[in-house]
Amino acid sequence: MLRRSLESRDAQTRQLQDAVSNVEKHFGELCQIFAAYVRKTARLRDKADLLVNEINAYAATETPNLKHGLKNFADEFAKLQDYRQAEVERLEAKVVEPLKTYGTIVKMKREDLKATLTAKNREAKQLTQLERTRQRNPSDRHVIAETELQRATMDATRTSRHLEETIDNFEKQKIKDIKNIFSEFITIEMLFHGKALEVYTAAYQNIQKIDEEEDIEIFRSSLYPPDYSTRLDIVRANSKSPLQRSISAKCVSGTGQQIPTSRIRKDQQDDDEDDDELEVTEEEN
């Protein structure tokens, strides 16, 4: 009877050891992977900050509409990194840290298991001694051995019962914690991606609002200096003959009516006669 009871407690203890070892293994793996996930997210935030800086630097060199659109895009993208920072902090506090605490919890459960195993081994040793004493059949030793066995059995039973309660609470808490940890993870991710969708929508709209045609006109006008057209008019005016300049002035002034061709020819003849008279006078002198 006592032997079967010991065997039953042995099987129970092994099962509890396996449960604790299983939690220790998989919770440790989960903790490491979630921690790596958080670190990757933080590195993504850092790279995004660099991208924001570069977009702002490039925007400062561009035409007004493109500059305005890129700066608005960079502002929205920077806002997204603030949300990503909040995501990193929440994941660290709500997911990674609770998993880390299971290292301490598992250590405590192993101590409980160790105490149970010590009590069980003591009981098994006393049982073996009692069986040997019975075989030798001295009455006084037989009574002493039975007393020691009863005391060891009571200790083992009490320790086993305490371990059962502890492991039962451990299993309940484990399931509850797993539910909370994964629920927090999903909630944090949904909050971030919901905000990300809003920010990306605004960023997309800012890019689409860039007026390409206006920027092209601004770019084309920047190819020529501001006084280019004025200097061009001066060059054209200087290339005209005195007569053409006089005609142009008369066309612009007054009523703006065109001068008849006969009048132009008469003016030309008068100029020629004046030149002939000037030459004759010079010869007489």
Side-chain angles (χ1 to χ4, degrees):
M1 181 71 179
L2 288 173
R3 183 67 63 181
R4 285 197 299 270
S5 177
L6 281 172
E7 292 175 354
S8 176
R9 280 199 289 270
D10 283 343
Q12 184 184 48
T13 302
R14 282 194 298 270
Q15 184 178 356
L16 296 176
Q17 284 177 321
D18 292 341
V20 172
S21 297
N22 188 61
V23 170
E24 182 180 32
K25 174 185 176 182
H26 292 290
F27 273 55
E29 290 292 332
L30 286 171
C31 184
Q32 290 181 8
I33 294 171
F34 272 121
Y37 181 93
V38 173
R39 289 194 299 272
K40 291 284 186 182
T41 304
R43 280 198 287 270
L44 180 60
R45 173 209 58 208
D46 294 340
K47 293 296 182 183
D49 288 339
L50 294 176
L51 181 58
V52 168
N53 293 337
E54 180 57 30
I55 292 172
N56 279 321
Y58 168 58
T61 67
E62 275 296 345
T63 48
N65 281 283
L66 183 56
K67 176 181 179 179
H68 183 69
L70 287 174
K71 281 190 171 295
N72 286 340
F73 174 87
D75 289 343
E76 294 295 338
F77 203 58
K79 186 189 300 181
L80 179 62
Q81 305 323 308
D82 294 336
Y83 291 128
R84 201 184 299 277
Q85 174 63 24
E87 177 196 15
V88 168
E89 292 173 358
R90 289 169 182 166
L91 287 173
E92 185 70 32
K94 301 293 186 179
V95 177
V96 177
E97 285 301 321
L99 286 171
K100 281 183 179 179
T101 61
Y102 265 82
T104 304
I105 293 173
V106 167
K107 187 175 181 180
M108 293 172 59
K109 300 311 169 187
R110 287 200 178 280
E111 291 295 327
D112 291 338
L113 279 170
K114 184 178 180 180
T116 302
L117 287 172
T118 301
K120 181 181 67 65
N121 291 336
R122 189 183 304 113
E123 181 187 20
K125 182 178 179 181
Q126 292 299 328
L127 178 61
T128 301
Q129 289 180 351
L130 176 60
E131 290 176 347
R132 290 177 180 174
T133 303
R134 283 176 178 173
Q135 290 175 359
R136 295 173 184 173
N137 202 19
S139 58
D140 53 345
R141 291 184 180 179
H142 178 74
V143 173
I144 295 173
E146 284 186 350
T147 303
E148 293 295 332
L149 177 60
Q150 288 176 0
R151 186 181 298 114
T153 301
M154 289 176 62
D155 289 342
T157 302
R158 183 175 59 255
T159 306
S160 296
R161 189 177 298 114
H162 171 71
L163 180 62
E164 289 174 9
E165 294 174 357
T166 300
I167 295 299
D168 187 70
N169 292 332
F170 172 72
E171 283 292 313
K172 290 178 181 178
Q173 190 64 41
K174 177 194 73 177
I175 296 171
K176 182 179 179 181
D177 288 342
I178 282 290
K179 289 177 63 177
N180 287 339
I181 289 169
F182 279 86
S183 296
E184 289 288 351
F185 175 74
I186 295 299
T187 302
I188 292 167
E189 290 298 296
M190 285 194 301
L191 284 172
F192 170 75
H193 288 289
K195 290 294 185 181
L197 183 59
E198 294 177 8
V199 172
Y200 280 131
T201 300
Y204 178 83
Q205 291 172 348
N206 284 322
I207 292 298
Q208 294 303 310
K209 287 178 182 177
I210 296 173
D211 191 334
E212 304 167 41
E213 296 300 327
E214 185 176 346
D215 271 8
I216 288 295
E217 289 301 323
I218 294 172
F219 173 75
R220 287 171 180 168
S221 66
S222 69
L223 294 177
Y224 306 101
D227 60 341
Y228 177 79
S229 59
T230 304
R231 288 192 289 106
L232 184 60
D233 291 340
I234 293 172
V235 172
R236 287 173 179 171
N238 291 335
S239 66
K240 294 179 180 179
S241 65
L243 178 59
Q244 289 173 325
R245 289 198 296 273
S246 175
I247 294 171
S248 298
K250 291 177 180 179
C251 289
V252 172
S253 64
T255 58
Q257 295 178 352
Q258 185 175 3
I259 300 174
T261 305
S262 60
R263 183 174 169 183
I264 296 173
R265 289 175 181 172
K266 186 176 182 304
D267 290 340
Q268 289 176 341
Q269 289 174 0
D270 292 342
D271 290 340
D272 292 340
E273 289 175 1
D274 291 340
D275 292 341
D276 291 340
E277 290 177 0
L278 180 61
E279 289 177 0
V280 171
T281 303
E282 289 177 352
E283 287 176 357
E284 288 178 355
N285 292 334

